[in-house]
Amino acid sequence: MKRQLIKISLFLLLVTVTVADVQAQRTPRRRANTTGTTGNTQTGDAGQQQTQQNNNAAAPSGYNPYGNIPIEVDKGSVYSDSAARSLRQDGAYDKSMLNDRTPLPYEHLRWDDALFAEKVWREIDLREKMNMPFRYQGQDDNGNQTFIEILLRAVRSGQVTAFSSNDDRFTTPLDSMSISSLTAGGAADTVPVRDINDPNKIVKYTVTQASFDPNSVMKFRLKEEWVFDREASRMFVRIIGIAPLKTLYLPNGQERGSSVMFWVYYPDLRPILANNDVYNPKNMGMHRMTWEELFEARMFSSYVIKSTLDNPNNRTIRQQIKDPILALLEGENIKERIFNYEQDLWSY
């Protein structure tokens, strides 16, 4: 009995000493914290400001610069590639099988058989009468039939890859954000919507953006190669790339030139062009021509701006010849020299 009482007494004594030690250790810490808070108010305010900044930066997605006023996006100004499809047969005859067309494969050309090969860069000006089908703005189940719209739909949908305009060798593919910035009609604009009864009260803000104007693209640049195949004894021309040129204007509205938007590898684009018809102003029933056939049949008007023929400095014609008339004549001279090369190989 005495042993149990002694053990209990020692245990209570040990607990009392431990509690006293813990309280003695906590007391100076509380005083230090209290002293730091009351004695250095500037440090505390700076810490609160830093905490507030971190909280604001941590949630940028929910941040509204206009407070509680809602912000809406004008869906009418957002470009959409989806076209309204006809719910009935839009025509007197069935054209459903036209969507299954595929381009004919190219004939294989061996390097050993290439007796002559020259690269040529040319531009297609849509203001010329022969190139008017490029500007046809008809609508069908595929959407707008303007050639630039057909090209942009193929790029936006991911069917073909767009490459940077920095060079024409297809070295830098562009992502969707870069394509959107290139084809945007302008910077986004936030417009306040005011209350009808109280003009000083703003009900909401609407974000609008101008849509892309297809009429701003009035030229296309082609990169192609002319090859004389000695096995077939004929000249072949293969389009390598195509690029839309966007017209640039001065602040007074005067045209100051054009710039390349992006490059597209033409063989990748051929299957899309094979499923889109070319506008025929004379007879829409008998045209039976696709965009792929138009390019292969060379049914467009263009002028040469550069070639590798007698061009060791790799410069365009306008860089060598400043006069525009003489530059056009030099382009025609290059066409004639390529044509004469094939003709001079024959003897009659």
Side-chain angles (χ1 to χ4, degrees):
M1 186 67 179
K2 291 181 179 181
R3 291 180 180 179
Q4 293 180 355
L5 291 174
I6 293 173
K7 290 181 180 180
I8 294 172
S9 300
L10 292 174
F11 177 74
L12 293 175
L13 180 62
L14 180 61
V15 171
T16 303
V17 173
T18 304
V19 172
D21 187 17
V22 171
Q23 291 179 353
Q25 292 178 1
R26 288 181 178 179
T27 301
R29 291 181 181 177
R30 290 178 181 176
R31 289 178 182 175
N33 291 337
T34 305
T35 303
T37 304
T38 58
N40 190 5
T41 56
Q42 295 180 354
T43 304
D45 294 340
Q48 292 179 359
Q49 293 177 1
Q50 183 65 29
T51 303
Q52 184 67 24
Q53 293 177 0
N54 294 337
N55 292 337
N56 293 338
S61 59
Y63 176 68
N64 188 346
Y66 304 106
N68 296 327
I69 302 177
I71 301 177
E72 297 181 357
V73 178
D74 185 8
K75 297 182 179 180
S77 65
V78 179
Y79 181 85
S80 177
D81 287 329
S82 59
R85 301 186 65 85
S86 176
L87 301 181
R88 298 293 186 271
Q89 178 175 309
D90 185 23
Y93 52 92
D94 184 16
K95 298 187 295 182
S96 59
M97 62 184 306
L98 299 181
N99 296 326
D100 299 330
R101 293 173 294 189
T102 57
L104 294 175
Y106 280 142
E107 182 178 348
H108 178 66
L109 300 178
R110 297 175 64 248
W111 175 76
D112 292 340
D113 295 331
L115 186 62
F116 172 87
E118 292 293 342
K119 285 187 173 64
V120 175
W121 289 259
R122 63 178 70 233
E123 287 186 359
I124 302 174
D125 194 335
L126 306 190
R127 291 168 291 192
E128 296 188 27
K129 186 175 181 180
M130 189 174 181
N131 299 329
M132 291 302 292
F134 285 83
R135 303 175 60 182
Y136 175 63
Q137 298 184 7
Q139 295 282 342
D140 65 4
D141 289 346
N142 294 326
N144 195 317
Q145 293 304 292
T146 310
F147 183 76
I148 181 61
E149 292 289 350
I150 296 174
L151 183 61
L152 289 178
R153 280 198 300 269
V155 171
R156 290 193 181 104
S157 62
Q159 294 176 290
V160 295
T161 302
F163 294 87
S164 174
S165 61
N166 295 333
D167 59 67
D168 53 13
R169 296 188 302 108
F170 318 103
T171 59
T172 308
L174 299 177
D175 55 11
S176 58
M177 293 297 294
S178 300
I179 295 298
S180 299
S181 62
L182 289 173
T183 58
D189 187 17
T190 303
V191 180
V193 179
R194 302 183 182 275
D195 191 354
I196 300 177
N197 301 324
D198 186 6
N200 296 325
K201 181 180 179 181
I202 298 177
V203 179
K204 63 180 180 180
Y205 287 91
T206 303
V207 180
T208 60
Q209 185 172 8
S211 58
F212 176 74
D213 184 13
N215 293 323
S216 62
V217 177
M218 299 304 297
K219 293 181 181 180
F220 287 91
R221 183 171 297 174
L222 298 181
K223 177 185 178 182
E224 58 192 19
E225 187 167 15
W226 291 78
V227 179
F228 184 84
D229 184 67
R230 60 183 176 183
E231 181 183 7
S233 297
R234 56 165 292 196
M235 186 77 77
F236 291 89
V237 56
R238 298 287 168 82
I239 300 176
I240 301 174
I242 183 170
L245 303 182
K246 189 174 183 179
T247 306
L248 304 178
Y249 297 93
L250 294 173
N252 59 1
Q254 182 180 359
E255 182 178 342
R256 68 178 181 90
S258 58
S259 64
V260 177
M261 297 176 61
F262 53 83
W263 280 95
V264 171
Y265 188 57
Y266 178 75
D268 294 341
L269 188 64
R270 290 184 67 209
I272 291 91
L273 298 182
N275 289 324
N276 288 272
D277 293 333
V278 179
Y279 168 69
N280 185 351
K282 303 300 181 182
N283 188 348
M284 289 294 291
M286 291 300 296
H287 68 289
R288 300 289 191 270
M289 177 175 288
T290 64
W291 281 105
E292 192 271 338
E293 294 171 344
L294 180 140
F295 281 106
E296 297 301 326
R298 315 290 297 178
M299 297 186 65
F300 56 84
S301 177
S302 63
Y303 54 91
V304 176
I305 62 170
K306 178 185 174 183
S307 75
T308 56
L309 194 65
D310 293 337
N311 188 13
N313 295 324
N314 194 29
R315 296 189 300 176
T316 63
I317 296 178
R318 288 302 303 272
Q319 289 175 336
Q320 303 176 38
I321 304 174
K322 300 301 181 182
D323 187 86
I325 303 299
L326 296 179
L328 288 175
L329 293 177
E330 179 61 23
E332 294 299 322
N333 184 33
I334 293 174
K335 293 180 183 179
E336 185 177 0
R337 289 161 67 183
I338 294 176
F339 174 79
N340 289 337
Y341 179 86
E342 180 181 11
Q343 298 301 314
D344 293 342
L345 292 177
W346 295 91
S347 60
Y348 301 95

